[in-house]
Amino acid sequence: MSSQTKTFTQWQQQANALHIEGRAYIDGQYQDSTDGATFADISPIDGRLLAAIADCDLTTVDNAVAVAGRAFATGVWRDKSPAERKNVLLRLADLVALHQEELALLESLDTGKTIHESLDMDIQDVGKTLRYYAEAIDKISGEIAPTGDDFHGMITYAPLGVVAVMTPWNNPLMIACWKIAPALAMGNSVVFKPSEKAPLTGIRLAELTRQAGIPDGVFNVVTGGAQVGQALALHPGVRAVAFTGSTQVAKQLLIYAGQSNMKRTYLEGGGKNAHIIFADTPDLARAARFAALGFCANQGAVCASGTRLLVQSSIKDAFVAHLIEEVKRWTPGHPLDPSTMMGPLIDAQHQANVLRFVDSARDEGASILCGGYADDRVVPGGHFLPPTLIDNATSTMTASQNEIFGPVASIITFEDEEEAIRLANDSEYGLTAGFWTPDIAKVHRIARRLEAGTVWVNHFLTRDILSPFGGFKQSGMGRDLSIHALRQYGEMKATWIALKDIDAH
Ligand code: NAD
């Protein structure tokens, strides 16, 4: 099933017919916050009210953690064999596939991302992630330590207990499942707090986990904003926080962990990533196509975006000419139209923030090549912004140093390899970086020196479950995806068994 097999009208009709659940999910049941409070979930597409969402109070959060802790203590999930947990998670992946259109529509309505991205990318990624960790869990073994004949030494991984998963609004279900899938596969209980700006698919997933056979209490969803996240991060019953969001909140979570029970914290933060176009790039048109994708995909709300375009000065004019043509493909439109490549920004406040960065670039001496203005006529009630290129930028400008999280890129020129590397690393972040060259020695030279968790050579923005994803520097700590992420959801344990009578000494 692809987004292209239905028309815009069909997607709209299907969206209008959706039943939208807005309650939290605790102990196998949807329920309101104990104080009955709710908040409004507004669609960024047209400003319409999607649902009243439970605004969980502290009692509700406590209850969810207690339920998850009890489910862990009884062993109802933890003590299932890995093969049994695998089968349940595979059933969950099947249910996600069965409900993929509904989940994709919920995601598009909630975030403004295009139906193409929601269905053909994010929801497919959710299924793939669930299957990967389901299949991994009955194929990895512990280790035997090289102890000699006196002992048998085992190295195993024990589940942590209650894992709190907290996520942002840009790829809500996909990023959540990068954490939920390995956490559940390892036998943990999960309390999931989706972003208050995009809670719908997380709430819907809960019902699917029940249908798949995940026992009551093992997977719970608490909805709300920063106060719910803070309550989880400070909670003594939570053993780990798996977070994706801003670096600012990630740092706060480190403080909460220190103030409470030293819970494990796996933190994926922001990015301000360099995309380097060297003069020896053989196909500038192709590089420009990836450059446009690199800062326009998902309206620029991608942590891995290539928003610092470092261009060797001798080819700048030629490259920019291609780029201007490429960004025209990203003209904003209605997200439920399958031909649309760019939807609205998440809300009016975010649009204003993005525009403030564009203004700062103008004020600091840069020029705006294209975009740089609000376009709220695309769909009345939505907050759109066309692709925006900041030209004649420098690395120290406000817009070059800060994550904007909108479709805005700065073009910065450089003269040689050393300068390109210096500029690429001139950031407090270190999530991704990319560059173009056919020179194999240069590929290795540069890849080694870039301070980034992911480096792309001769392409940009590729990612897959088979390789870890996470950042250097203030882009975070810990990794999502791949087998490496799985280990984070278990505590390494060394067990020494004496094989003969050993004397104390
Ligand atoms: P955010 O940090 O504002 O919110 C993320 C989550 O934290 C939300 O669920 C929010 O309710 C919660 N939260 C907010 N304040 C909190 C507090 N004081 N205590 C506990 N929880 C709190 O981020 P956002 O605006 O939703 O998302 C955008 C950010 O996410 C960007 O910085 C982007 O780069 C980052 N991001 C990173 C990655 C990655 O893999 N590194 C991926 C996607 C997004």
Side-chain angles (χ1 to χ4, degrees):
M1 177 68 212
S2 134
S3 61
Q4 310 300 315
T5 55
K6 287 196 173 161
T7 63
F8 181 22
T9 309
Q10 285 172 320
W11 282 120
Q12 281 180 307
Q13 285 167 344
Q14 207 169 323
N16 290 337
L18 284 176
H19 164 75
I20 299 183
E21 177 60 71
R23 288 173 294 172
Y25 181 87
I26 299 169
D27 209 8
Q29 286 186 340
Y30 283 116
Q31 46 189 273
D32 296 318
S33 172
T34 52
D35 64 0
T38 60
F39 63 91
D41 186 23
I42 303 290
S43 176
I45 300 177
D46 51 12
R48 101 175 128 104
L49 177 69
L50 292 170
I53 307 293
D55 195 1
C56 293
D57 61 1
L58 295 187
T59 309
T60 310
V61 175
D62 275 347
N63 189 19
V65 175
V67 158
R70 271 201 300 279
F72 186 74
T74 61
V76 63
W77 176 247
R78 177 191 63 181
D79 292 348
K80 281 195 190 309
S81 71
E84 285 176 282
R85 292 203 298 272
K86 169 177 94 170
N87 289 334
V88 173
L89 290 173
L90 288 178
R91 272 203 298 278
L92 181 58
D94 289 344
L95 286 164
V96 166
L98 190 66
H99 296 277
Q100 57 180 317
E101 291 188 10
E102 178 195 355
L103 289 166
L105 278 169
L106 287 174
E107 208 74 299
S108 286
L109 291 176
D110 221 4
T111 63
K113 70 167 58 212
T114 64
I115 190 69
H116 165 57
E117 276 211 34
S118 294
L119 182 59
D120 306 334
M121 299 178 193
D122 284 27
I123 303 302
Q124 304 314 314
D125 196 284
V126 168
K128 202 169 171 182
T129 304
L130 287 165
R131 286 183 202 286
Y132 180 91
Y133 289 113
E135 287 291 354
I137 198 66
D138 70 345
K139 294 173 188 66
I140 51 167
S141 306
E143 294 167 46
I144 307 290
T147 50
D149 288 343
D150 290 354
F151 299 98
H152 180 64
M154 298 186 300
I155 302 165
T156 54
Y157 288 84
L160 298 162
V162 178
V163 175
V165 171
M166 303 188 205
T167 48
W169 49 263
N170 59 328
N171 299 87
L173 195 60
M174 182 181 94
I175 290 176
C177 284
W178 292 357
K179 302 161 196 304
I180 291 168
L184 289 177
M186 288 292 277
N188 299 284
S189 294
V190 169
V191 178
F192 171 37
K193 192 207 93 62
S195 166
E196 63 276 31
K197 293 181 184 173
L200 297 183
T201 45
I203 296 173
R204 182 68 182 97
L205 182 74
E207 169 64 14
L208 300 183
T209 64
R210 196 188 58 74
Q211 285 176 26
I214 291 181
D216 293 351
V218 171
F219 180 75
N220 308 276
V221 180
V222 288
T223 43
Q227 77 289 350
V228 175
Q230 183 187 35
L232 286 169
L234 284 168
H235 206 293
V238 172
R239 291 275 178 82
V241 168
F243 170 86
T244 295
S246 60
T247 291
Q248 189 191 359
V249 173
K251 287 179 175 180
Q252 197 58 45
L253 296 179
L254 285 171
I255 295 171
Y256 296 150
Q259 286 172 339
S260 55
N261 58 344
M262 211 165 128
K263 51 181 63 72
R264 308 292 173 259
T265 49
Y266 307 121
L267 308 170
E268 298 294 340
K272 188 72 192 177
N273 311 295
H275 190 170
I276 312 170
I277 319 295
F278 284 106
D280 58 358
T281 302
D283 186 345
L284 279 184
R286 193 210 300 242
R289 178 164 280 229
F290 273 95
L293 168 82
F295 82 94
C296 294
N298 204 31
Q299 301 72 252
V302 178
C303 53
S305 278
T307 51
R308 290 185 297 139
L309 291 170
L310 308 183
V311 186
Q312 199 149 14
S313 55
S314 59
I315 50 135
K316 186 197 162 192
D317 291 347
F319 174 74
V320 168
H322 285 295
L323 187 58
I324 293 282
E325 282 309 303
E326 285 297 334
V327 299
K328 288 180 186 158
R329 298 170 61 236
W330 294 86
T331 304
H334 196 297
L336 297 189
D337 181 338
S339 66
T340 297
M341 289 175 68
M342 185 184 280
L345 301 186
I346 190 77
D347 55 28
Q349 190 192 352
H350 186 49
Q351 187 191 49
N353 281 345
V354 173
L355 286 172
R356 259 196 295 279
F357 280 115
V358 177
D359 288 342
S360 76
R362 273 195 203 96
D363 294 346
E364 291 170 31
S367 46
I368 308 304
L369 264 186
C370 59
Y373 56 89
D375 186 355
D376 294 348
R377 295 159 308 170
V378 179
V379 183
H383 302 283
F384 294 80
L385 194 136
T388 300
L389 284 168
I390 299 172
D391 197 11
N392 302 316
T394 64
S395 186
T396 53
M397 284 178 179
T398 308
S400 307
Q401 285 296 320
N402 291 276
E403 184 182 46
I404 300 176
F405 225 52
V408 181
S410 301
I411 300 170
I412 301 167
T413 52
F414 64 89
E415 298 304 323
D416 57 24
E417 210 174 296
E418 272 310 307
E419 192 184 9
I421 294 167
R422 184 180 60 73
L423 290 172
N425 291 337
D426 181 22
S427 170
E428 68 189 36
Y429 297 111
L431 191 57
T432 72
F435 62 95
W436 294 73
T437 179
D439 177 339
I440 189 69
K442 187 168 162 187
V443 165
H444 285 282
R445 266 196 321 268
I446 291 169
R448 284 179 187 203
R449 291 182 59 195
L450 290 174
E451 296 170 346
T454 296
V455 174
W456 292 301
V457 184
N458 295 331
H459 65 125
F460 202 86
L461 220 57
T462 310
R463 177 190 42 68
D464 194 85
I465 182 81
L466 51 82
S467 192
F469 183 71
F472 281 26
K473 301 191 276 187
Q474 294 189 46
S475 284
M477 48 209 289
R479 290 292 183 270
D480 280 324
L481 306 181
S482 83
I483 214 74
H484 297 281
L486 190 63
R487 298 290 199 203
Q488 292 172 165
Y489 296 93
E491 204 71 88
M492 193 191 282
K493 179 185 281 187
T495 305
W496 289 78
I497 303 167
L499 299 182
K500 48 179 84 155
D501 291 339
I502 304 289
D503 284 334
H505 56 122

